[in-house]
Structure formats: structure tokens, C-alpha cells
């Protein structure tokens, strides 16, 4: 399998990434705009998500309905999401429909109507999203964990707050759009049965004359993580745990990633076998590596019956800490097999390629070649991972619990 | 894109389906076994799921841990699920690891240890799964809807009941295995960078001498659908709606599928624009076509704030019924574009191909060629869909609500 990602950064700061996958008929695209909820003013928390929804409700020559019809007519399977640092707009369709689809996205990004008449239903949806989270305790505990683990604004959730969403005016939306939706730092990543030259020309035509006006990234406040129990009558006690690790640019990145693999990659991983299978303490348990530009964290979720929750938390923390005591050659071998297999499988999906290339560019300013990742995974050794875990140990846990009773732990 | 699915049914009733996808490096497999929870005795509801979990806890020469390690070592991304009629075991890995993976699955299917010592944690997990559903109201309302819409055992959920799971003994597990896990009606579906001849030989070697002992499929009881409100203090009122349609083998199948597309395919679909976007009554809304061998149903989910739930239900039902009054050429055109685009994108994923071929074989006894589906979608016309909707109208709704207050409706 060949892999080549072509790249061009236009003078206004917009980067185009294109990976040609000649044996497919589809094409996927991902557009990342540095205008996430971290840029929001405290009084209008939720604004970025409301704006993003409004951007797709009419743009260029098309009103709301005409815009949806045009994209549906091109067979675009699309989605939008407001993240902490970036807005993401993406989709996939037949490769032959991609050029027409990008024309429409240029309208959405550069010429959205942001219609006042649509603000009420948009805000109403945003409020439903906030209220719906109350009925999804698994998701809620992780949202609350991130708020407490990261210094604001890094832990913000796109949903914002009820007061914030209610306070949003159409003027706020238009100002936020004017101020933050601009090409500098934007990434347009495309993968599929596509041609580089044609895409570069089209991108230049659609976005080349857009003026850059990037503001600096919001700085994290000087806040320390804080643990907390959130009282709620639930049938399960939900547990979120986070602790600091290294960013992707760090020399230890693959060692840190391998450590999380030993904890949580596959059915023979430690959390799965030691906590779930052996004791049946929880139905779901997992840890994953969460990266931002300047930091990395390990984030764990589990949940179980209230009367067993104390034991569940203790055994989970025990496994996180025990990792530094040693890793078997055998368990690392299967982590490596899993990582390499997942890597190849991701290569076969246009959407996965477009997203991974965009993420690499955002985090590292370059796209890692497949061979580089494979070599790094191949080079993982138990001793190096243990050395990393001793330098950056699992400690100072941020623990958020949601359920009928609080739990005890030493931090 | 060429598409060819080769098929062989062994004398014991096991069917092998193989689709070669030469431009990928992965291979996906899906094994369907006619031993779902519909076959359970009422006293041990949940048994099929418990047995399936135990089947992967040691088989052949390997104990529980060795089995997980072996599959993880082959980089298999695997999952198992107990459905109403069938158990599904599936996964994906690098194509070069497929043969070794199938060897292990032959152990799991034919030589599971079903160890008594693992019953307690397995049952405990099954109980957690049941209790966890209480904290997932979206999922719960759909589980409760299916129980009431379909005559038992067709509406059963794999989780079973707390009493049922508690009652399961290792003897029940072993008897259920002996009685139901056998090759007649089993489907092994594989897609990826694989060779037909080698797979046929391996399948024959692994499964050819397995004796068939199929029991008849459980007959649905003579029960009528029933609507119900389930009282629970929630922040949203959850709404599930179901009504009868036609099975996949019916001449109207594509018309029925197109009708659901107009309701729910894409962002310009009726439920999305009329109920969600225009009035902001719900965050999530959707309808989908649910097929069994002998019947098809349309199943809808939505949920919204309790004070708006009555309006939400009424507008949703109105859209379901209004469909028979007419469909625009334009809205059908974008449904067709969406269906065809999704069809091509599914062609590019080994897991999606393996699953789709297996499902076709189970439902129809044959795999529909891509060209046949494309032609059927191309041939959809508003008049034909409306004609179908007049013959099989949206009525006699099964409605299940879960939330703080019941709703009013005419059935």
C-alpha cells in the first residue's frame, strides 16, 4: 500500500492536505477551523456550537432548505462538531461529487447567512443537548471530568451552559463569526479517489483570496485539577479518572501510547481482564490517550453498581499505578499487533485518513508517514515503557464520580 | 469496482460467503449462529448472552487468558453479540492473520470449555449490563418498544432479566450450547484480501465434520402489539414508535425503504427538518427500517423536554402519516443520491461487506448483487412509494414513552 500525502499552505494560512487512494470511489473531507468553544466569552458559553449550527442554515445563494437539499442531493454523509479548540466540518461522498460539495462548503465557511429567524430553534436544540446530557450519565461524567482536569478553557464542552446559550444573540453569533472564522490555521484534509492538481486549483479559487485575521490561541488559566463527587440518584456509579502524560511531540509519546495499550488495548488488556473479567465489577472500562497541542493525558472511564463502586475504583487505580512495576514481553507483543492492525485498517477508510492527516497536521505541523508510525510501534520495548512510566508516573489523579454516594481515595 | 461473492453450503448446512477485495490488506469475518435469545427458556432469560461470553473464556487448548492473548496477538479487533435470533461473532485483522484467526474461532465454536469458575463473573457482567440500561434512557425506551411491538420471542433483548440471569447454572449453559450451537443455518461471511479456494478448504477442514442438529426456529406467540407509558423521573421524555411494514423479500421492499428515506435520510429529511430544525422540539430524531425474515417494521426514536413532549409526539406522528399524501420528485432524488452514495461507501469497508453479505443470506437466502440494489434504487418513483404507503399505511402505532409524564395520542 502506497501512502503519500501532498500538502500546500496558501499565503493566508489555509493548509490543504490530499491523500490519493486510487482503489476507492469515494472521497472524504475534513475541515478544521480554529474557532472552538475555547474562544468563547464566559457569558455566552455554547456560542461556538450555536454559530456552527447556524452556518449550515443558509449560505451563498441557498437558504436553509436549499442548502440541505443540495448536500443531500450530492449524497454527502456529513457532520459538524464544535470542539474545544476547533470547529470540525466533514463528510464523505462519491469522489465525482466532491468538487461540487467543496463549492458549497466554501459558501458555508465564507458566506453563511447566519439568519436571525433560525436563532430560536438553534438555541432550543442547544438547550436540549445540554438537558439530554443529564440522561446520559456515562457521557456526563467524562464531560465533568474534563472540566476539572484541564485548566479552563481547555476542558470546555461544546454544549456550554444553559445560561450561556440563552444569552446568545444573533449579534454575538455574527461577531464571533467575523472574529474567528478565517483561513489562518484552517486545515482542509481530503482523502479518496482525487487528483492533487485539480484540488489545489479549486481550493485556491475558493479560499485563496480570503483574508487571514487569526487571533492568538486562548491561554489556559492558572488552575489546578480538582476531583469531585457529583450526587445523583443513578443505578450505577459513574467514574472518570484522568492524569497527565506527554504530548505527541514528546520523545516518549509512543512509550506513553504503548502503556495505555497495555492497560486498555484488546480483550487481554489489564483493565479488561483484571477489573472487568476477573471480578465482574463493571460492564464497561477503558483508558485512552487524549492529546492536545501542548499536553497529553490518560483518561479512563468505568462505572458499576454503587455497592461495588469503591472496590471498582480501587482496583482500577491499582492497575494504573501497578503498570510502572513491569510489563511482560508477551503483553506488549499483542499491544503492538493490535496497534499495527488498527493502523492498516484505518488506511483503508477515506474518512479515517482525512481525519488522521488533519489531526497530525494540527498537533505536529506535519503528517507522519505510515512507515514512521510502524517503525515506532515496532521499536516499543517493555524497559522503555517502564522507564517512561517512572519518569511520568500515574499519579495526581483527577477523579470525578457521579452517582448515589461518594467514594474514598488517596490522590 | 468489481463485486463477486462466492458461496458454498456444506452438507451440514454451514454456508461460507467470500468476497474478495483485492486492493485492501485487511480481512473481516462475521459468523452468525442461529442460537439467539429467542431460543431461551423463560426461566433463564439472558442465557444466550451468558453462554456467548463463556464461549470466549477458554476453548480448545487455550484457557481464558491464552485465548484472549492469542486473538490480541493476531491483531484481531473483535466483538460478539447475542441477537434475538442469532449469535454474532466477528472481527477484522490483517488478511495474512485470517487463517490463524479462523482456527481459533473453530475452537470457540466447537470446543469451548464453558468453565464453571467463570460463570460468576460472567453473570455479574450480565447483571451490570441490565442495570446499566436504567441509566441509558435512549437505549431503554427502544428495548421496551421492541418488547411490546413484536410478539414474543421476536422482541427479546439479549440482556434478558435479572431473575433470568441469576437463575442461569453452568448446566443450563452447557445444555443450551449442546442443543443450539451447531452448523445448520450458520453463516461464515468473509471479505477482504482473501482467496476463495484456500478459505473453502480451511472451512471444510475446520467445520465440515461437525454434525448438524438444528431445531425449528421459535414461533412467535399470538400476541398483539401494546403501547405503554413507563414512569421515570428524567430530564427528557423518551419516545419510541413502531409500525408494521413489509419484509425484505416483498415486492414493495425498496418502496418502503425509500419512504423511510424521505422521513429520515439526510439533513433535509422530513423528520429532521419539520420536527427538529423548524421547531427545535428534539435534539435527536430518526426512523429506520428494521427487518426480520418474515416481517419489516419502521422504528422511530425521539426525545425531548417533558413540557414539549406532547407536541413532539404529535408532530412526529403527523409526519409519519402525512407521507402517504405525496412525495416530491426533488426529495426522492436526494434520498436516492444518499442511498447510492452510502452503498458505494459500504463497498469499501471489509467489515461492512462481510456483515451485509451475511445479512442478505440470512434474510433472503442469497446475496444481492450491487447492480441489483443500484437498479432498484434508481427505479424508485414517488408514485410507487405513495401507492405502497396507501397499501401499507403508517398506522396502528406501538408507542412507548419513558419519562416523568404520560402523553396522549390516538392510535
Amino acid at each position: 500500500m502506497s501512502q503519500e500525502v501532498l500538502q500546500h499552505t496558501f499565503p493566508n494560512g489555509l493548509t490543504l492536505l490530499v491523500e490519493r487512494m486510487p482503489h476507492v470511489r469515494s472521497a472524504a473531507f475534513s475541515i478544521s477551523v480554529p474557532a472552538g468553544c475555547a474562544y468563547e466569552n464566559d457569558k455566552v458559553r455554547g456560542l461556538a456550537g450555536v454559530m456552527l449550527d447556524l452556518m449550515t442554515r443558509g449560505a451563498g445563494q441557498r437558504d436553509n432548505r436549499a442548502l440541505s437539499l443540495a448536500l443531500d442531493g450530492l449524497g454527502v454523509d456529513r457532520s459538524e462538531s464544535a470542539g474545544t479548540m476547533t470547529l470540525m466540518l466533514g463528510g464523505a461522498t462519491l469522489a465525482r461529487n466532491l468538487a461540487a460539495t467543496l463549492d458549497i462548503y466554501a459558501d458555508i465557511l465564507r458566506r453563511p447567512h447566519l439568519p436571525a429567524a433560525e436563532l430560536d430553534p438553534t438555541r432550543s436544540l442547544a438547550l436540549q443537548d445540554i438537558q439530554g446530557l443529564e440522561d446520559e450519565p456515562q457521557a456526563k461524567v467524562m464531560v465533568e471530568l474534563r472540566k476539572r482536569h484541564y485548566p479552563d478553557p481547555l476542558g470546555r464542552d461544546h454544549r456550554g451552559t444553559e445560561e450561556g446559550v440563552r444569552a446568545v444573540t444573533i449579534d454575538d453569533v455574527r461577531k464571533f463569526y467575523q472574529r474567528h472564522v478565517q483561513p489562518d490555521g484552517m486545515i482542509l484534509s481530503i482523502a479518496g479517489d482525487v487528483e492533487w492538481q485539480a484540488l489545489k486549483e479549486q481550493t485556491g479559487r475558493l479560499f485563496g483570496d480570503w483574508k487571514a485575521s487569526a487571533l492568538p490561541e486562548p491561554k489556559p488559566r492558572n488552575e489546578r485539577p480538582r476531583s469531585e463527587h457529583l450526587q445523583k440518584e443513578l443505578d450505577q456509579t459513574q467514574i472518570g479518572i484522568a492524569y497527565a502524560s506527554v504530548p505527541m511531540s514528546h520523545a516518549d509519546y509512543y512509550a506513553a501510547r504503548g502503556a495505555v495499550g497495555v492497560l486498555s488495548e484488546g480483550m487481554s488488556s489489564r483493565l479488561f481482564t483484571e477489573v472487568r473479567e476477573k471480578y465482574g465489577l463493571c460492564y464497561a472500562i477503558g483508558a485512552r490517550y487524549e492529546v492536545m497541542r501542548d499536553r497529553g493525558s490518560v483518561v479512563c472511564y468505568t462505572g458499576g453498581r454503587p455497592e461495588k463502586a469503591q472496590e471498582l475504583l480501587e482496583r482500577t487505580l491499582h492497575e494504573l499505578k501497578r503498570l510502572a512495576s513491569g510489563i511482560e514481553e508477551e503483553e506488549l507483543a499483542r499491544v503492538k499487533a493490535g496497534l499495527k492492525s488498527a493502523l492498516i485498517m484505518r488506511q483503508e477508510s477515506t474518512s479515517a485518513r482525512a481525519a488522521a492527516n488533519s489531526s497530525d497536521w494540527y498537533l505536529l505541523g506535519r503528517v507522519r508517514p505510515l512507515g514512521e508510525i510502524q517503525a515506532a510501534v515496532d521499536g516499543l520495548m517493555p524497559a522503555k515503557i517502564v522507564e517512561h512510566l517512572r519518569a511520568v508516573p500515574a499519579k495526581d489523579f483527577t477523579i470525578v464520580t457521579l452517582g448515589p454516594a461518594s467514594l474514598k481515595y488517596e490522590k
Side-chain angles (χ1 to χ4, degrees), chain A:
Chain A
M1 186 168 305
S2 70
Q3 183 224 25
E4 190 186 18
V5 182
L6 294 168
Q7 173 268 328
H8 178 76
T9 300
F10 291 84
N12 61 12
L14 165 69
T15 297
L16 172 68
L17 303 171
V18 175
E19 179 164 352
R20 177 148 191 252
M21 298 169 66
H23 298 298
V24 300
R25 281 171 62 191
S26 71
F29 63 96
S30 152
I31 303 169
S32 159
V33 187
C37 51
Y39 293 85
E40 291 164 353
N41 179 311
D42 274 345
K43 288 191 187 138
V44 283
R45 295 274 298 103
L47 171 58
V50 169
M51 179 197 67
L52 181 59
D53 189 348
L54 278 172
M55 282 171 71
T56 64
R57 294 186 178 226
Q61 304 294 314
R62 295 180 180 89
D63 68 7
N64 187 10
R65 173 118 188 107
L67 190 65
S68 292
L69 279 172
L71 289 170
D72 283 350
L74 290 164
V76 182
D77 182 15
R78 61 183 253 242
S79 66
E80 294 92 37
S81 62
T84 307
M85 301 309 290
T86 55
L87 306 177
M88 299 292 290
L89 301 92
T93 184
L94 301 185
R96 65 165 185 264
N97 290 343
L98 180 69
T101 303
L102 292 178
D103 285 345
I104 296 177
Y105 274 84
D107 280 342
I108 291 173
L109 287 161
R110 300 192 62 184
R111 291 169 289 277
H113 301 171
L114 305 173
E118 297 284 343
L119 180 62
D120 265 352
T122 303
R123 260 193 326 221
S124 175
L125 283 178
L127 291 170
Q128 304 255 353
D129 195 11
I130 294 171
Q131 287 148 358
L133 189 63
E134 293 304 313
D135 290 338
E136 292 173 61
Q138 281 206 17
K140 178 160 172 86
V141 77
M142 299 312 279
V143 164
E144 298 299 332
L145 175 70
R146 287 192 182 87
K147 279 189 203 162
R148 287 161 181 79
H149 179 63
Y150 297 108
D152 190 71
L154 301 186
R156 288 189 184 177
D157 178 62
H158 72 274
R159 293 176 187 83
T161 60
E162 292 207 21
E163 316 78 68
V165 168
R166 282 189 215 283
V168 168
T169 64
I170 195 70
D171 223 50
D172 294 324
V173 170
R174 290 175 181 161
K175 277 193 187 133
F176 193 84
Y177 170 80
Q178 285 297 341
R179 185 180 276 249
H180 298 294
V181 180
Q182 55 78 45
D184 193 7
M186 217 172 105
I187 304 165
L188 168 57
S189 176
I190 295 168
D193 180 19
V194 293
E195 295 296 339
W196 165 250
Q197 205 50 47
L199 275 174
K200 190 177 156 198
E201 279 165 26
Q202 188 188 11
T203 305
R205 197 168 63 243
L206 294 176
F207 299 104
D209 64 340
W210 197 4
K211 289 275 175 302
S213 60
L215 296 173
E217 259 196 17
K219 287 269 171 299
R221 291 181 195 167
N222 190 8
E223 286 178 344
R224 293 193 48 77
R226 54 195 201 285
S227 295
E228 192 168 345
H229 170 68
L230 306 171
Q231 185 69 25
K232 181 151 187 169
E233 287 316 308
L234 290 173
D235 288 274
Q236 305 239 320
T237 297
Q238 307 289 337
I239 301 173
I241 304 170
Y243 54 99
S245 185
V246 297
M248 207 180 194
S249 53
H250 194 283
D252 275 9
Y253 169 71
Y254 288 97
R257 192 66 197 70
V260 176
V262 173
L263 285 174
S264 196
E265 179 89 29
M267 306 260 180
S268 56
S269 64
R270 291 204 185 170
L271 291 179
F272 207 81
T273 55
E274 293 299 314
V275 185
R276 182 188 193 273
E277 293 238 317
K278 198 183 282 180
Y279 300 99
L281 288 171
C282 55
Y283 191 78
I285 188 164
R288 55 190 211 79
Y289 205 83
E290 203 167 86
V291 276
M292 298 182 180
R293 266 190 183 143
D294 69 339
R295 72 194 69 205
S297 299
V298 181
V299 174
C300 310
Y301 164 80
T302 189
R305 297 155 65 180
E307 68 274 20
K308 299 274 188 95
Q310 184 66 42
E311 183 184 354
L312 172 59
L313 174 63
E314 283 167 17
R315 288 201 189 276
T316 304
L317 290 175
H318 175 71
E319 291 304 325
L320 301 179
K321 288 187 265 193
R322 186 169 74 90
L323 207 55
S325 321
I327 290 171
E328 303 289 324
E329 195 66 65
E330 172 199 64
E331 60 184 335
L332 185 60
R334 51 107 199 133
V335 169
K336 288 156 86 160
L339 291 175
K340 286 200 288 185
S341 170
L343 196 60
I344 296 296
M345 287 191 275
R346 273 202 302 273
Q347 292 290 321
E348 295 172 2
S349 152
T350 54
S351 297
R353 289 313 306 150
N357 294 341
S358 177
S359 166
D360 269 18
W361 189 267
Y362 175 76
L363 292 167
L364 298 173
R366 67 186 186 91
V367 175
R368 291 171 298 163
L370 179 60
E372 172 184 329
I373 305 177
Q374 278 176 322
V377 171
D378 278 330
L380 284 175
M381 283 181 305
K384 271 195 75 167
I385 297 180
V386 168
E387 192 184 318
H388 157 71
L389 288 169
R390 286 180 185 161
V392 186
K395 64 169 192 177
D396 298 335
F397 299 107
T398 312
I399 299 175
V400 173
T401 53
L402 174 67
S406 67
L407 305 177
K408 286 185 229 93
Y409 46 86
E410 287 178 40
K411 283 193 62 189

Short mmCIF file of all heavy atoms in Angstrom, two decimals, chain A residues 251-290:
data_model
loop_
_atom_site.label_atom_id
_atom_site.label_comp_id
_atom_site.label_asym_id
_atom_site.label_seq_id
_atom_site.Cartn_x
_atom_site.Cartn_y
_atom_site.Cartn_z
N ALA A 251 9.43 12.92 23.00
CA ALA A 251 10.18 11.71 22.62
C ALA A 251 9.54 10.44 23.21
O ALA A 251 9.68 9.35 22.65
CB ALA A 251 11.62 11.82 23.11
N ASP A 252 8.85 10.58 24.34
CA ASP A 252 8.23 9.42 24.99
C ASP A 252 6.83 9.11 24.45
O ASP A 252 6.15 8.23 24.99
CB ASP A 252 8.07 9.70 26.49
CG ASP A 252 9.33 9.37 27.27
OD1 ASP A 252 10.36 9.09 26.62
OD2 ASP A 252 9.27 9.40 28.51
N TYR A 253 6.38 9.82 23.43
CA TYR A 253 4.98 9.66 23.03
C TYR A 253 4.58 8.20 22.77
O TYR A 253 3.58 7.72 23.28
CB TYR A 253 4.66 10.51 21.79
CG TYR A 253 3.31 10.16 21.19
CD1 TYR A 253 2.14 10.50 21.86
CD2 TYR A 253 3.21 9.46 20.00
CE1 TYR A 253 0.89 10.16 21.34
CE2 TYR A 253 1.97 9.11 19.48
CZ TYR A 253 0.82 9.46 20.15
OH TYR A 253 -0.40 9.11 19.64
N TYR A 254 5.39 7.49 21.99
CA TYR A 254 4.99 6.11 21.66
C TYR A 254 5.08 5.20 22.88
O TYR A 254 4.29 4.26 23.02
CB TYR A 254 5.81 5.57 20.49
CG TYR A 254 5.43 6.22 19.18
CD1 TYR A 254 6.15 7.28 18.67
CD2 TYR A 254 4.30 5.80 18.49
CE1 TYR A 254 5.78 7.90 17.49
CE2 TYR A 254 3.92 6.41 17.30
CZ TYR A 254 4.66 7.47 16.80
OH TYR A 254 4.28 8.07 15.64
N ALA A 255 6.01 5.48 23.79
CA ALA A 255 6.08 4.71 25.04
C ALA A 255 4.80 4.93 25.85
O ALA A 255 4.20 3.99 26.39
CB ALA A 255 7.30 5.12 25.85
N ALA A 256 4.36 6.19 25.91
CA ALA A 256 3.15 6.51 26.66
C ALA A 256 1.93 5.84 26.02
O ALA A 256 1.06 5.29 26.70
CB ALA A 256 2.95 8.03 26.71
N ARG A 257 1.90 5.87 24.69
CA ARG A 257 0.80 5.25 23.94
C ARG A 257 0.80 3.73 24.16
O ARG A 257 -0.25 3.11 24.31
CB ARG A 257 1.04 5.62 22.48
CG ARG A 257 -0.02 5.38 21.49
CD ARG A 257 -1.23 6.23 21.70
NE ARG A 257 -2.32 5.59 20.94
CZ ARG A 257 -2.89 4.44 21.26
NH1 ARG A 257 -2.54 3.80 22.34
NH2 ARG A 257 -3.85 3.94 20.51
N GLY A 258 2.00 3.14 24.19
CA GLY A 258 2.12 1.71 24.45
C GLY A 258 1.65 1.36 25.86
O GLY A 258 1.00 0.32 26.06
N ALA A 259 1.94 2.22 26.82
CA ALA A 259 1.50 1.98 28.20
C ALA A 259 -0.03 1.94 28.26
O ALA A 259 -0.62 1.06 28.90
CB ALA A 259 2.04 3.08 29.12
N VAL A 260 -0.68 2.87 27.59
CA VAL A 260 -2.15 2.87 27.57
C VAL A 260 -2.65 1.62 26.84
O VAL A 260 -3.67 1.03 27.22
CB VAL A 260 -2.70 4.15 26.91
CG1 VAL A 260 -4.21 4.10 26.79
CG2 VAL A 260 -2.29 5.37 27.72
N GLY A 261 -1.90 1.17 25.84
CA GLY A 261 -2.25 -0.07 25.15
C GLY A 261 -2.26 -1.26 26.09
O GLY A 261 -3.18 -2.08 26.07
N VAL A 262 -1.24 -1.37 26.93
CA VAL A 262 -1.19 -2.48 27.90
C VAL A 262 -2.40 -2.42 28.83
O VAL A 262 -3.01 -3.44 29.17
CB VAL A 262 0.13 -2.45 28.70
CG1 VAL A 262 0.11 -3.49 29.82
CG2 VAL A 262 1.33 -2.66 27.78
N LEU A 263 -2.80 -1.21 29.18
CA LEU A 263 -3.97 -1.05 30.05
C LEU A 263 -5.27 -1.41 29.36
O LEU A 263 -6.16 -2.00 29.94
CB LEU A 263 -4.09 0.40 30.53
CG LEU A 263 -3.13 0.88 31.60
CD1 LEU A 263 -3.34 2.38 31.81
CD2 LEU A 263 -3.39 0.13 32.90
N SER A 264 -5.38 -1.04 28.09
CA SER A 264 -6.73 -0.99 27.53
C SER A 264 -6.87 -1.45 26.08
O SER A 264 -7.95 -1.37 25.52
CB SER A 264 -7.24 0.45 27.66
OG SER A 264 -8.61 0.52 27.49
N GLU A 265 -5.80 -1.93 25.46
CA GLU A 265 -5.90 -2.34 24.05
C GLU A 265 -6.26 -3.82 23.98
O GLU A 265 -5.46 -4.67 24.37
CB GLU A 265 -4.55 -2.08 23.35
CG GLU A 265 -4.50 -2.48 21.88
CD GLU A 265 -4.94 -1.35 20.96
OE1 GLU A 265 -4.75 -0.17 21.33
OE2 GLU A 265 -5.48 -1.66 19.89
N GLY A 266 -7.43 -4.15 23.49
CA GLY A 266 -7.79 -5.55 23.30
C GLY A 266 -8.38 -6.20 24.54
O GLY A 266 -8.41 -5.63 25.63
N MET A 267 -8.85 -7.43 24.35
CA MET A 267 -9.59 -8.13 25.39
C MET A 267 -8.66 -8.73 26.44
O MET A 267 -9.11 -9.17 27.49
CB MET A 267 -10.42 -9.25 24.77
CG MET A 267 -11.32 -8.77 23.65
SD MET A 267 -13.01 -8.55 24.21
CE MET A 267 -13.79 -8.01 22.69
N SER A 268 -7.35 -8.79 26.15
CA SER A 268 -6.43 -9.30 27.16
C SER A 268 -5.70 -8.17 27.87
O SER A 268 -4.73 -8.38 28.57
CB SER A 268 -5.43 -10.28 26.52
OG SER A 268 -4.74 -9.66 25.46
N SER A 269 -6.18 -6.94 27.69
CA SER A 269 -5.56 -5.80 28.36
C SER A 269 -5.83 -5.88 29.85
O SER A 269 -6.74 -6.56 30.32
CB SER A 269 -6.14 -4.51 27.79
OG SER A 269 -7.52 -4.44 28.09
N ARG A 270 -5.02 -5.16 30.62
CA ARG A 270 -5.09 -5.29 32.08
C ARG A 270 -6.41 -4.83 32.68
O ARG A 270 -6.97 -5.51 33.53
CB ARG A 270 -3.94 -4.50 32.71
CG ARG A 270 -2.62 -5.15 32.41
CD ARG A 270 -1.61 -4.76 33.45
NE ARG A 270 -0.31 -5.30 33.10
CZ ARG A 270 0.81 -4.96 33.72
NH1 ARG A 270 0.77 -4.08 34.72
NH2 ARG A 270 1.96 -5.49 33.36
N LEU A 271 -6.89 -3.67 32.27
CA LEU A 271 -8.16 -3.20 32.85
C LEU A 271 -9.28 -4.17 32.52
O LEU A 271 -10.12 -4.48 33.36
CB LEU A 271 -8.51 -1.80 32.33
CG LEU A 271 -7.62 -0.65 32.79
CD1 LEU A 271 -8.08 0.66 32.15
CD2 LEU A 271 -7.63 -0.52 34.30
N PHE A 272 -9.27 -4.65 31.30
CA PHE A 272 -10.34 -5.54 30.87
C PHE A 272 -10.31 -6.87 31.63
O PHE A 272 -11.32 -7.33 32.14
CB PHE A 272 -10.23 -5.77 29.36
CG PHE A 272 -11.54 -6.10 28.71
CD1 PHE A 272 -12.44 -5.09 28.39
CD2 PHE A 272 -11.88 -7.41 28.43
CE1 PHE A 272 -13.66 -5.39 27.80
CE2 PHE A 272 -13.09 -7.71 27.85
CZ PHE A 272 -13.99 -6.71 27.52
N THR A 273 -9.12 -7.47 31.71
CA THR A 273 -9.06 -8.79 32.35
C THR A 273 -9.08 -8.67 33.88
O THR A 273 -9.79 -9.41 34.55
CB THR A 273 -7.80 -9.58 31.93
OG1 THR A 273 -6.65 -8.80 32.18
CG2 THR A 273 -7.85 -9.93 30.46
N GLU A 274 -8.32 -7.72 34.43
CA GLU A 274 -8.18 -7.68 35.89
C GLU A 274 -9.41 -7.10 36.58
O GLU A 274 -9.77 -7.53 37.67
CB GLU A 274 -6.94 -6.87 36.28
CG GLU A 274 -5.62 -7.51 35.87
CD GLU A 274 -5.41 -8.88 36.52
OE1 GLU A 274 -5.63 -9.00 37.73
OE2 GLU A 274 -5.04 -9.82 35.79
N VAL A 275 -10.00 -6.09 35.99
CA VAL A 275 -11.12 -5.44 36.68
C VAL A 275 -12.47 -5.96 36.19
O VAL A 275 -13.35 -6.27 36.98
CB VAL A 275 -11.03 -3.90 36.51
CG1 VAL A 275 -12.11 -3.21 37.33
CG2 VAL A 275 -9.66 -3.39 36.91
N ARG A 276 -12.59 -6.09 34.87
CA ARG A 276 -13.89 -6.49 34.33
C ARG A 276 -14.09 -8.00 34.38
O ARG A 276 -15.03 -8.49 34.99
CB ARG A 276 -14.00 -6.00 32.88
CG ARG A 276 -15.33 -6.31 32.22
CD ARG A 276 -15.26 -5.97 30.74
NE ARG A 276 -16.56 -5.95 30.11
CZ ARG A 276 -17.17 -7.02 29.58
NH1 ARG A 276 -16.61 -8.20 29.66
NH2 ARG A 276 -18.34 -6.91 28.99
N GLU A 277 -13.17 -8.74 33.76
CA GLU A 277 -13.41 -10.18 33.59
C GLU A 277 -13.26 -10.95 34.89
O GLU A 277 -14.08 -11.79 35.22
CB GLU A 277 -12.42 -10.75 32.57
CG GLU A 277 -12.66 -10.23 31.17
CD GLU A 277 -12.91 -11.35 30.19
OE1 GLU A 277 -12.19 -12.36 30.25
OE2 GLU A 277 -13.84 -11.21 29.37
N LYS A 278 -12.18 -10.67 35.63
CA LYS A 278 -11.90 -11.47 36.81
C LYS A 278 -12.92 -11.22 37.92
O LYS A 278 -13.38 -12.15 38.57
CB LYS A 278 -10.48 -11.19 37.31
CG LYS A 278 -9.96 -12.26 38.25
CD LYS A 278 -8.57 -11.92 38.78
CE LYS A 278 -7.46 -12.20 37.77
NZ LYS A 278 -6.12 -11.86 38.32
N TYR A 279 -13.27 -9.96 38.13
CA TYR A 279 -14.15 -9.65 39.25
C TYR A 279 -15.56 -9.26 38.84
O TYR A 279 -16.43 -9.12 39.68
CB TYR A 279 -13.53 -8.53 40.11
CG TYR A 279 -12.19 -8.90 40.68
CD1 TYR A 279 -11.01 -8.48 40.08
CD2 TYR A 279 -12.09 -9.72 41.81
CE1 TYR A 279 -9.77 -8.85 40.60
CE2 TYR A 279 -10.87 -10.09 42.33
CZ TYR A 279 -9.71 -9.65 41.71
OH TYR A 279 -8.49 -10.01 42.22
N GLY A 280 -15.76 -9.05 37.54
CA GLY A 280 -17.11 -8.66 37.08
C GLY A 280 -17.59 -7.37 37.74
O GLY A 280 -18.77 -7.21 38.00
N LEU A 281 -16.66 -6.45 38.01
CA LEU A 281 -17.02 -5.24 38.76
C LEU A 281 -17.67 -4.17 37.88
O LEU A 281 -18.22 -3.21 38.40
CB LEU A 281 -15.77 -4.64 39.40
CG LEU A 281 -15.20 -5.42 40.58
CD1 LEU A 281 -13.86 -4.85 40.99
CD2 LEU A 281 -16.17 -5.38 41.75
N CYS A 282 -17.55 -4.30 36.59
CA CYS A 282 -18.06 -3.24 35.72
C CYS A 282 -18.38 -3.87 34.36
O CYS A 282 -17.79 -4.87 33.98
CB CYS A 282 -17.02 -2.15 35.52
SG CYS A 282 -15.46 -2.78 34.90
N TYR A 283 -19.30 -3.24 33.65
CA TYR A 283 -19.56 -3.72 32.30
C TYR A 283 -18.60 -3.05 31.33
O TYR A 283 -18.00 -3.70 30.50
CB TYR A 283 -21.01 -3.43 31.91
CG TYR A 283 -21.38 -4.14 30.64
CD1 TYR A 283 -21.67 -5.50 30.66
CD2 TYR A 283 -21.39 -3.47 29.43
CE1 TYR A 283 -21.97 -6.17 29.49
CE2 TYR A 283 -21.69 -4.13 28.26
CZ TYR A 283 -21.98 -5.48 28.30
OH TYR A 283 -22.26 -6.14 27.14
N ALA A 284 -18.41 -1.76 31.49
CA ALA A 284 -17.52 -1.04 30.58
C ALA A 284 -16.34 -0.47 31.35
O ALA A 284 -16.51 0.07 32.45
CB ALA A 284 -18.28 0.10 29.90
N ILE A 285 -15.14 -0.62 30.79
CA ILE A 285 -13.96 0.01 31.37
C ILE A 285 -12.97 0.27 30.24
O ILE A 285 -12.87 -0.53 29.31
CB ILE A 285 -13.33 -0.86 32.47
CG1 ILE A 285 -12.20 -0.09 33.19
CG2 ILE A 285 -12.80 -2.19 31.92
CD1 ILE A 285 -11.80 -0.71 34.52
N GLY A 286 -12.28 1.39 30.32
CA GLY A 286 -11.30 1.65 29.27
C GLY A 286 -10.48 2.88 29.59
O GLY A 286 -10.90 3.73 30.38
N ALA A 287 -9.30 2.92 29.01
CA ALA A 287 -8.45 4.10 29.15
C ALA A 287 -8.03 4.52 27.75
O ALA A 287 -7.87 3.68 26.87
CB ALA A 287 -7.20 3.76 29.97
N ARG A 288 -7.90 5.81 27.55
CA ARG A 288 -7.38 6.24 26.26
C ARG A 288 -6.50 7.47 26.41
O ARG A 288 -6.52 8.15 27.41
CB ARG A 288 -8.49 6.47 25.24
CG ARG A 288 -9.54 7.41 25.67
CD ARG A 288 -10.69 7.38 24.69
NE ARG A 288 -11.29 8.70 24.66
CZ ARG A 288 -10.81 9.74 23.99
NH1 ARG A 288 -9.72 9.63 23.26
NH2 ARG A 288 -11.40 10.91 24.03
N TYR A 289 -5.70 7.66 25.39
CA TYR A 289 -4.75 8.73 25.36
C TYR A 289 -5.43 9.93 24.74
O TYR A 289 -5.98 9.82 23.66
CB TYR A 289 -3.58 8.28 24.47
CG TYR A 289 -2.35 8.99 24.83
CD1 TYR A 289 -1.58 8.54 25.89
CD2 TYR A 289 -1.96 10.12 24.14
CE1 TYR A 289 -0.44 9.22 26.25
CE2 TYR A 289 -0.83 10.80 24.50
CZ TYR A 289 -0.08 10.35 25.56
OH TYR A 289 1.05 11.03 25.92
N GLU A 290 -5.39 11.06 25.41
CA GLU A 290 -6.07 12.24 24.88
C GLU A 290 -5.01 13.32 24.64
O GLU A 290 -4.30 13.70 25.57
CB GLU A 290 -7.11 12.71 25.90
CG GLU A 290 -8.21 13.54 25.31
CD GLU A 290 -9.37 13.71 26.29
OE1 GLU A 290 -9.31 14.63 27.11
OE2 GLU A 290 -10.31 12.91 26.24
#
